[in-house]
Amino acid sequence: MLIPWQQLTAETLDSVIESYVLREGTDYGWEEKSLAEKVEDVRAQLQRGEAVLVWSELHETLNIMPQGAFDDE
């Protein structure tokens, strides 16, 4: 189920994004980004519609995924 990020409080959205960034383990190449920079990158992706919040009823988890994963639905 897609969850509109705009419906979350700023504090909750920050927590969701920080949790995602801390577990995703992406290699950013030669130049490492700070946690704050990674959080802002993800927030910008949500705002541009490139990423979405997805609630899994089966796992009872909230995740951030690329919008493209849902284009066919």
Side-chain angles (χ1 to χ4, degrees), residues 46-62:
L46 288 167
Q47 291 171 342
R48 290 190 304 263
E50 297 171 1
V52 293
L53 294 177
V54 181
W55 171 254
S56 169
E57 291 183 38
L58 176 64
H59 298 105
E60 296 184 353
T61 57
L62 185 61

Side-chain angles (χ1 to χ4, degrees), residues 27-34 37-38:
D27 180 7
Y28 287 85
W30 293 104
E31 189 175 320
E32 184 62 30
K33 292 187 175 186
S34 70
E37 290 172 316
K38 292 176 186 179

Side-chain angles (χ1 to χ4, degrees), residues 10-57:
E11 183 177 305
T12 300
L13 183 60
D14 286 345
S15 294
V16 169
I17 295 173
E18 284 180 17
S19 173
Y20 171 76
V21 167
L22 290 171
R23 74 172 182 260
E24 52 91 22
T26 300
D27 180 7
Y28 287 85
W30 293 104
E31 189 175 320
E32 184 62 30
K33 292 187 175 186
S34 70
L35 175 61
E37 290 172 316
K38 292 176 186 179
V39 167
E40 285 308 310
D41 286 349
V42 173
R43 183 186 322 279
Q45 290 174 18
L46 288 167
Q47 291 171 342
R48 290 190 304 263
E50 297 171 1
V52 293
L53 294 177
V54 181
W55 171 254
S56 169
E57 291 183 38

Side-chain angles (χ1 to χ4, degrees), residues 66-73:
Q67 171 60 41
F70 298 94
D71 285 344
D72 294 330
E73 294 183 10

